[in-house]
Amino acid sequence: MTSSPARAAELRLAYALLFITPAMWSVNYLVARWAPGLIAPHALALGRWCVAALLLGFFARHELLARRHAIRAEWRQFIVLGALGMWVCGAFVYIGARSTTAINIGLLYAAAPVFIAVASGLFLRDRLKPVQWAGVALALAGVLHILLRGDWDALAQLRINPGDAWVAVAVLCWAAYSLLLRAWPSAFGPLARLALTAVGGIVVLLPFTVWEALAWLPSTLDWRSIGLVLAAALIPGAGAYAAYSFMQRALGPARVGMVLYLGPLYSAAIAWAVLGERIEWFHGIGALLILPGIWLSTRK
């Protein structure tokens, strides 16, 4: 049994990480906005997950060796999960960031738990109550308000910023990724499974990265592009994931859900302070719809 002083120290660290982890995730939005002109989207996503896979694989090496026979049984799952979580949720966000803001990315990603709740109700038979459906409606209204930048007349003419559309596709794929993680059983623990999923993502990313470099957007290999890759891999990648796993073990999933509400606030504050992005009125209205929507749609 864990001693009382050790447990108290663990709880202090976990509560501190509640406020640190959203900032770690927000670093990815900064990287996405800094990348244009330095490194192409697929090259950035590939570099990020190569570094993260090596790091995660090192810490999970004993489990990976002990259960290596199970990799053959699950390799198709790792390819699908890698395509959703590392290719689409990586490169698509970086493509979108070339024409949208970090604030928009953070707010749109904040709605991911709502789409996960809807998908769970449709495919995993987690029945949603009327109050949860009300939360879904609120959050979707907030997402649309941001996508339309407050101009609802644009809906009739389908005028949506391409960058926001790329990010919206990534958010939907993140919901699918999260749903499949729950639906597909695995012989591996979270860390080893993420390492193998990252390898699956690398396999999918490789041909797109080669095409991108030859036909669309070559990358510059220098200390700045390498720094962006390392920042994306270590802080919002392996670092944030490890922190999230630690918090879930120490505090339980209900309390850790608090980071969902802090995420868009942190991304807006960091984008304003570091990138000089303006917080517009439609961001505020979108957040006022999305955040209560998350709370209502995910409450039990």
Side-chain angles (χ1 to χ4, degrees):
M1 183 179 293
T2 306
S3 64
S4 182
R7 174 59 178 165
E10 183 181 48
L11 287 175
R12 283 196 299 270
L13 177 58
Y15 279 117
L17 287 174
L18 279 177
F19 298 94
I20 296 171
T21 304
M24 296 171 70
W25 275 329
S26 298
V27 169
N28 196 42
Y29 310 145
L30 295 181
V31 169
R33 293 290 287 154
W34 280 328
L38 296 177
I39 185 169
H42 284 86
L44 177 55
L46 178 65
R48 173 190 181 186
W49 287 109
C50 282
V51 174
L54 288 172
L55 190 62
L56 293 165
F58 173 78
F59 287 108
R61 63 190 184 279
H62 298 301
E63 182 182 353
L64 291 171
L65 285 173
R67 300 180 181 176
R68 59 187 180 275
H69 63 280
I71 296 176
R72 181 177 296 180
E74 298 184 33
W75 72 267
R76 293 178 182 85
Q77 296 182 14
F78 298 137
I79 293 293
V80 173
L81 291 171
L84 292 170
M86 285 69 190
W87 173 43
V88 178
C89 296
F92 281 36
V93 173
Y94 299 143
I95 294 171
R98 301 175 73 85
S99 57
T100 192
T101 64
I103 297 173
N104 277 28
I105 297 172
L107 286 171
L108 291 173
Y109 253 94
V114 178
F115 295 117
I116 294 170
V118 172
S120 297
L122 293 175
F123 300 109
L124 298 184
R125 298 181 181 179
D126 290 343
R127 294 183 61 185
L128 298 184
K129 296 179 179 179
V131 68
Q132 291 174 297
W133 281 114
V136 169
L138 269 178
L140 290 180
V143 168
L144 273 176
H145 195 76
I146 293 168
L147 287 174
L148 299 171
R149 298 176 180 263
D151 180 15
W152 283 82
D153 291 336
L155 186 61
Q157 302 167 11
L158 291 178
R159 293 201 314 266
I160 295 177
N161 178 36
D164 292 332
W166 282 101
V167 175
V169 171
V171 172
L172 290 174
C173 287
W174 177 255
Y177 170 86
S178 302
L179 185 73
L180 291 175
L181 278 180
R182 289 178 55 190
W184 286 342
S186 178
F188 297 94
L191 206 63
R193 192 182 191 189
L194 182 63
L196 291 168
T197 301
V199 172
I202 291 166
V203 171
V204 177
L205 275 162
L206 268 171
F208 290 100
T209 306
V210 173
W211 169 85
E212 178 184 67
L214 296 176
W216 179 41
L217 199 64
S219 298
T220 302
L221 185 63
D222 58 17
W223 66 269
R224 293 176 300 173
S225 57
I226 293 172
L228 289 177
V229 167
L230 292 176
L234 299 177
I235 302 174
Y241 182 85
Y244 194 80
S245 298
F246 177 81
M247 289 188 295
Q248 282 210 317
R249 186 176 69 248
L251 302 176
R255 290 180 181 176
V256 176
M258 179 180 175
V259 300
L260 301 175
Y261 308 102
L262 293 175
L265 305 179
Y266 275 52
S267 63
I270 290 174
W272 171 77
V274 179
L275 299 175
E277 293 182 359
R278 290 180 58 187
I279 300 176
E280 305 283 357
W281 64 272
F282 63 82
H283 291 133
I285 293 176
L288 288 174
L289 293 169
I290 290 173
L291 297 181
I294 298 171
W295 182 74
L296 288 172
S297 63
T298 57
R299 65 183 298 201
K300 298 298 181 182

